[in-house]
Amino acid sequence: MVVRPAAACPGGRVEIRGGSFDVSAGLPDVRLGDVRARLASARPGRLVVIVPPDAPGGDVPVVVAGRVEDAPVLRVGTLVAEGLHQVDNPVFDAAGRLYVTYSGTRGQRVPVSIFRIDPSGARESLVTGLVNPTAMAFGPDGRLYVSSRFEGVVYRVDDQGHYEPVVSDVGVACGLAFAADGTLFVGDRSGTIFRVLPNGRATMMATLPPSVAAFHLAMGPDGLLYVTAPTLTSRDRLYRIHMDGRVETVWVGFGRPQGLAFGPDGALYVAEAMSGASGIYRIRPDTPAEPELLVTGAGLVGLAFDPAGALVVANNERVWRIGAV
């Protein structure tokens, strides 16, 4: 038997294939370790299992009808943090510390805007008073930059959590990305990609259809800017923007693409949040192959790679560690 994809978070759906499953007398018993899983569908050659919320993290055997001898292994995400409100990628700094947000509803002031989690798992409150923190990115100066979609401002944060505005008047400021030369790009979900000049003034670089949620940005190793912008259509696009403002479509077919990031292998990883198909997909922008599903989970909105190349994924409320992919 095999399980696909090979990694999942609670709420994700995985397929079990390669066995002859007896479904004539009812649904077979499927367990992740010692935890029973619910089946979404069952056929003699294919089972679809929903990862339960209490599934153990790590490499877990998937046992069907007590058949321990040929049980495949599923990597289940290990919980890193909960009680969050994440709307884009979490981010790592060079020391391997993870930054996560409590973004809140529009205009909501929350006790803590950004938390920092060190490699041991210890969590601290870093930023307070910043309304609707949305996207985060580390700049070439090693400082954390955060957009506020409510204020239309990008802030720079120091290591003690103090912040100052560096860019304003950038619409509903969402996605952030830095080019290799230090140029900052800001995605306004109303439909504009801004390029920020060294003096802090933002100029329009490109326009895209407006998004119902957010613009998510990632700078590619090819020096081009990649963007997702979920709309109300059933087939959303992954865009690539050249530095002269030319926009091209890389892929059409995501249902609700959210955060995206380039991995240590040079491939692009995209969080798909569409109900029933939510997961992390790997795509190689210069090849015609369809995106490859690597991790499933419920409502995933973001992802990040730590300095060693391990993957973490996030939905609105939680972050899990997957490890190497």
Side-chain angles (χ1 to χ4, degrees):
M1 291 188 294
V2 295
V3 60
R4 293 289 183 271
C9 295
R13 298 184 177 214
V14 296
E15 291 188 1
I16 306 169
R17 292 181 178 267
S20 180
F21 309 117
D22 183 5
V23 297
S24 60
L27 298 177
D29 180 79
V30 179
R31 295 179 183 268
L32 303 185
D34 296 326
V35 179
R36 187 170 186 176
R38 181 165 64 90
L39 272 76
S41 67
R43 296 200 297 248
R46 174 180 176 268
L47 304 176
V48 177
V49 175
I50 300 174
V51 178
D54 54 346
D59 291 343
V60 180
V62 181
V63 181
V64 179
R67 291 161 49 182
V68 178
E69 65 280 358
D70 59 350
V73 172
L74 175 69
R75 178 175 297 172
V76 179
T78 301
L79 185 66
V80 174
E82 58 186 337
L84 311 174
H85 184 206
Q86 197 76 33
V87 295
D88 202 335
N89 291 341
V91 294
F92 283 98
D93 64 16
R97 297 177 297 182
L98 179 66
Y99 296 73
V100 293
T101 64
Y102 196 102
S103 188
T105 58
R106 178 173 171 79
Q108 180 184 9
R109 292 186 179 274
V110 297
V112 180
S113 307
I114 300 175
F115 297 94
R116 181 167 58 195
I117 304 169
D118 72 20
S120 72
R123 170 168 155 177
E124 63 177 322
S125 302
L126 179 65
V127 176
T128 60
L130 200 159
V131 181
N132 295 150
T134 304
M136 299 180 288
F138 276 93
D141 56 0
R143 301 273 289 276
L144 178 66
Y145 289 72
V146 184
S147 63
S148 166
R149 65 185 185 279
F150 178 70
E151 298 177 329
V153 173
V154 178
Y155 292 94
R156 180 169 53 213
V157 182
D158 68 19
D159 203 52
Q160 287 71 48
H162 306 122
Y163 56 92
E164 59 182 349
V166 291
V167 184
S168 58
D169 299 322
V170 281
V172 186
C174 294
L176 300 177
F178 281 93
D181 65 359
T183 301
L184 173 63
F185 298 92
V186 183
D188 163 20
R189 81 175 189 196
S190 301
T192 304
I193 302 295
F194 290 100
R195 187 198 325 255
V196 180
L197 302 177
N199 62 7
R201 187 168 68 89
T203 62
M204 186 181 74
M205 176 190 180
T207 58
L208 296 173
S211 171
V212 297
F215 274 21
H216 305 271
L217 276 57
M219 183 60 62
D222 54 6
L224 304 180
L225 187 65
Y226 290 77
V227 182
T228 59
T231 66
L232 293 176
T233 66
S234 59
R235 291 172 60 85
D236 275 322
R237 299 172 182 266
L238 167 64
Y239 298 98
R240 176 166 52 200
I241 303 178
H242 294 255
M243 293 301 101
D244 60 5
R246 287 183 293 124
V247 178
E248 59 187 11
T249 297
V250 176
W251 181 257
V252 179
F254 287 117
R256 195 173 177 82
Q258 303 280 325
L260 66 168
F262 280 87
D265 58 354
L268 179 60
Y269 293 73
V270 181
E272 164 69 276
M274 188 174 182
S275 179
S278 176
I280 304 298
Y281 289 78
R282 178 166 56 196
I283 184 169
R284 300 189 185 277
D286 294 322
T287 66
E290 290 193 7
E292 176 188 6
L293 177 61
L294 296 179
V295 184
T296 63
L300 299 183
V301 299
L303 66 146
F305 290 91
D306 73 12
L311 174 67
V312 300
V313 302
N315 66 10
N316 284 137
E317 299 176 345
R318 297 175 176 85
V319 175
W320 294 272
R321 184 177 183 85
I322 302 298
V325 294

